[in-house]
Amino acid sequence: MQVRIFDDAGLLAVEGAKLTAQALTQDPQMAITVATGRSPIALYEQLAKLRRRGQVDTDTVKVFQLDTYLGIPEDDPRSLWRWMEEAFLRPLDIGNDRAGKFDAMTQDVTAECRRYDGAIAASGGLGLAVLGLGPNGHVAFNEPPSGADAPTRAVTLTADSLNSNAGYWDGLDVPKQGLTLGMAPLLAARKVIFVVTGAHKHAILRKTIEGPVTPDVPASLFQDHPDALVLADRAAWDGP
């Protein structure tokens, strides 16, 4: 894994947007997946600015949802699809016809995961994954332990993830189950960018890039990825 450290999260967002724009320019029709969460939002805002300036074209890119809460409809404030729409799709003028989403209300999880993986495969596989880093090393909703062969599937969220996500929803209950792209399709992405900000991510960041490669820290599996880049701010790198 390559690592780049920035003095603050604002500088990280600017450079991360440039790197994302470069990837999209090299392959304008690629399929990508992007994380929701606090860390990458500023990067998406900067990417939208580049688009408005004509410095990146998103007219043919395809975007696939990284994860979703199971049983939460799109009109629910906790909908991760709605979050992706507001934070990424609309600012970058990407229509729903070029966005793949999980059916969060599915009654057949196995069939839904097969359908979703098939849609990504039909789009040429993931060219880029922009990912966050969970407090326990989870990637998307791939909770530890998750091996490199972990498929797209339904998961039960850990207490760490529930506590971390609680701050997003203003006192609403955090759903306890989700659907997630598996480690296998994420590790198959041709390029991966991790966005890591805040001193609270220091310990898990160091485990991810310096510790043993282990399913107990799913993000560590990207140490063996041929093109994985970690963008971290100084707070995350240096710690409290």
Side-chain angles (χ1 to χ4, degrees):
M1 297 172 89
Q2 300 178 57
V3 182
R4 295 185 61 181
I5 311 302
F6 299 87
D7 286 340
D8 59 57
L11 292 173
L12 186 161
V14 170
E15 186 61 24
K18 291 178 182 177
L19 293 168
T20 303
Q22 289 172 9
L24 295 177
T25 300
Q26 290 169 0
D27 185 358
Q29 295 184 323
M30 74 162 62
I32 71 173
T33 189
V34 296
T36 48
R38 294 186 183 92
S39 294
I41 295 300
L43 187 158
Y44 303 154
E45 292 171 351
Q46 293 296 324
L47 187 62
K49 288 181 181 180
L50 293 179
R51 186 188 183 281
R52 291 194 295 271
R53 295 174 191 152
Q55 294 176 275
V56 64
D57 185 351
T58 58
D59 288 347
T60 54
V61 68
K62 298 175 285 292
V63 183
F64 285 88
Q65 193 176 15
L66 182 64
D67 48 29
T68 196
Y69 291 123
L70 191 58
I72 299 298
E74 291 177 24
D75 60 356
D76 190 289
R78 298 163 294 180
S79 168
L80 296 185
W81 169 255
R82 190 167 82 168
W83 190 342
M84 191 175 82
E85 276 191 311
E86 294 174 355
F88 194 85
L89 299 180
R90 290 176 189 164
L92 289 159
D93 199 23
I94 298 170
N96 286 1
D97 61 319
R98 290 186 286 119
K101 63 180 173 181
F102 282 109
D103 178 4
M105 306 304 291
T106 183
Q107 298 300 306
D108 189 337
V109 167
T110 300
E112 172 58 12
C113 292
R114 282 201 303 265
R115 178 199 69 80
Y116 202 68
D117 283 340
I120 292 174
S123 297
L126 293 174
L128 173 67
V130 179
L131 304 174
L133 175 62
N136 58 2
H138 73 246
V139 179
F141 281 160
N142 290 282
E143 298 279 16
S146 287
D149 59 349
T152 299
R153 65 201 186 285
V155 295
T156 298
L157 302 183
T158 64
D160 281 340
S161 295
L162 293 174
N163 291 335
S164 176
N165 294 349
Y168 295 136
W169 310 123
D170 294 327
L172 294 174
D173 289 339
V174 181
K176 294 179 174 56
Q177 288 191 305
L179 295 174
T180 185
L181 273 176
M183 293 299 296
L186 290 175
L187 286 163
R190 294 185 287 281
K191 184 177 186 65
V192 175
I193 297 175
F194 277 94
V195 181
V196 187
T197 60
H200 63 295
K201 295 291 181 70
H202 171 71
I204 194 61
L205 174 60
R206 291 306 182 102
K207 286 183 179 179
T208 294
I209 63 176
E210 298 172 350
V213 175
T214 171
D216 293 329
V217 181
S220 72
L221 300 176
F222 287 88
Q223 289 183 32
D224 296 328
H225 192 279
D227 191 0
L229 173 64
V230 176
L231 306 180
D233 67 0
R234 182 64 60 185
W237 185 252
D238 292 340

